[in-house]
Amino acid sequence: MVTASAPGKVYLFGEHAVVYGEPAVPCAVERRAEVTVEERTEGLRVHAEDLTLDGFTVEFGNGDHPDVDAPETMVEAGMGYVSEAVAQARDAAGVEEVGFEVSIESAIPLGAGLGSSAAVTVAAIEAATRELGVELDPEEIADRAYRVEHEVQDGQASRADTFCSAMGGAVRVEGDDCRTIDGVDDLPFLIGYDGGAGDTGALVAGVRDLRDEYGFAADTVTAIGDLVREGEDALVDGDLERLGQLMDVNHGLLSALGVSARSLDAMVWAAREAGAHGAKLTGAGGGGCIVALDPTDAPLTALDYTPDCEESFRAALASEGVRVE
Ligand code: MEV
């Protein structure tokens, strides 16, 4: 039996635009998904626990249909990632027939912009390959996890979430070019969570339609790329004020692309009015989380008093990516 964990992430800059080859800077945060894998003779049995679910168990036999007592969309989403992740592990180990018992414990809310699916996928690949006696380097785990997301999300995924979760720290992703950014010790991230989730596939498709239809929407995507390049310099300089200013602009550009929500805007404004250097939605949007930057706890208090905010917390930069527990 092997347990592995991988961190969630926030986007400092660049979500959505990264899908079209612009650079993005996601940062891993200390909220982890932990996946335990044990080999068994056949089939796939998955038990999941996380913050937003009551927990469910899914049994895959030799047939296609899981026997499960949980809402179908939730099961489809979770199971898609896990079954593709173990397929990657079988492929890496060169075995076809082996079955697995998989347990997931995640402190990362589902579909809320904190990279829950990437973290589960990355940790599952690490745990399952180790269980089969194979050790992959984090770059290969990132690549295999990207293939899983690409498959499950119908080709609408960038490498950003999976690379960030596998490597940890602050990273830069531009198309297939993925790098870690050295010299970023910590950033004072604050998270506000509205208790909801966005539909990543639908949100990505919405931006694609807008971009296809209007030149100015395509220019907005390009502007996000330009903003990210400015932001990288501010990150290396540790210039929180400038980082915050660029986060604010990034949120505005994402809003223009139609991926914000009333609850996300309310939390962004609560954090800003309490003095945060900057605040923006993180991830696909539509609901879920915002990330603010501030060393004081004043924005956290403000978020606590914001009716749209269900939970707020500070999240340290996770310098370690995927690891065996
Ligand atoms: C989702 O966490 C981030 C998006 O940019 C999609 C992706 O990069 O795969 C919206």
Side-chain angles (χ1 to χ4, degrees), residues 92-149:
V95 294
E96 279 173 19
E97 296 304 325
V98 64
F100 292 103
E101 174 108 25
V102 178
S103 295
I104 303 166
E105 268 184 56
S106 176
I108 310 167
L110 271 186
L114 297 185
S116 56
S117 59
V120 166
T121 305
V122 163
I125 294 175
E126 170 77 317
T129 45
R130 295 255 184 178
E131 176 71 358
L132 295 174
V134 174
E135 204 173 311
L136 303 179
D137 60 35
E139 284 87 354
E140 181 166 356
I141 293 174
D143 183 53
R144 288 184 177 274
Y146 163 67
R147 286 188 245 162
V148 169
E149 285 216 329

Side-chain angles (χ1 to χ4, degrees), residues 13-18 20-24 211 215-232 245-254 256-257:
F13 309 115
E15 57 272 85
H16 283 288
V18 69
Y20 307 98
E22 298 293 346
R211 185 175 166 271
F216 61 79
D219 292 345
T220 303
V221 169
T222 310
I224 292 176
D226 293 341
L227 178 151
V228 176
R229 282 179 273 269
E230 293 281 343
E232 282 176 83
Q245 187 182 43
L246 292 167
M247 287 168 75
D248 287 345
V249 177
N250 198 164
H251 182 76
L253 295 173
L254 288 165
L257 292 173

Side-chain angles (χ1 to χ4, degrees), residues 24-96:
V25 179
C27 298
V29 293
E30 271 311 342
R31 281 244 160 172
R32 303 184 79 90
E34 212 172 86
V35 179
T36 301
V37 174
E38 190 168 15
E39 199 178 327
R40 64 185 213 156
T41 42
E42 62 176 23
L44 174 62
R45 186 169 198 277
V46 180
H47 178 69
E49 294 281 349
D50 80 29
L51 270 184
T52 53
L53 310 177
D54 284 340
F56 65 91
T57 301
V58 185
E59 177 102 38
F60 273 104
N62 293 324
D64 288 330
H65 299 291
D67 172 18
V68 62
D69 180 21
E72 206 176 311
T73 47
M74 186 178 84
V75 174
E76 268 172 24
M79 289 309 299
Y81 293 106
V82 177
S83 57
E84 290 295 326
V86 300
Q88 284 294 332
R90 286 192 192 105
D91 179 66
V95 294
E96 279 173 19

Side-chain angles (χ1 to χ4, degrees), residues 9 11 14-16 18-19 149 153 156-158 160-161 200 204 283-284:
K9 60 105 229 311
Y11 272 90
E15 57 272 85
H16 283 288
V18 69
V19 174
E149 285 216 329
Q153 292 170 205
Q156 311 210 67
S158 73
D161 291 24
T200 300
V204 170

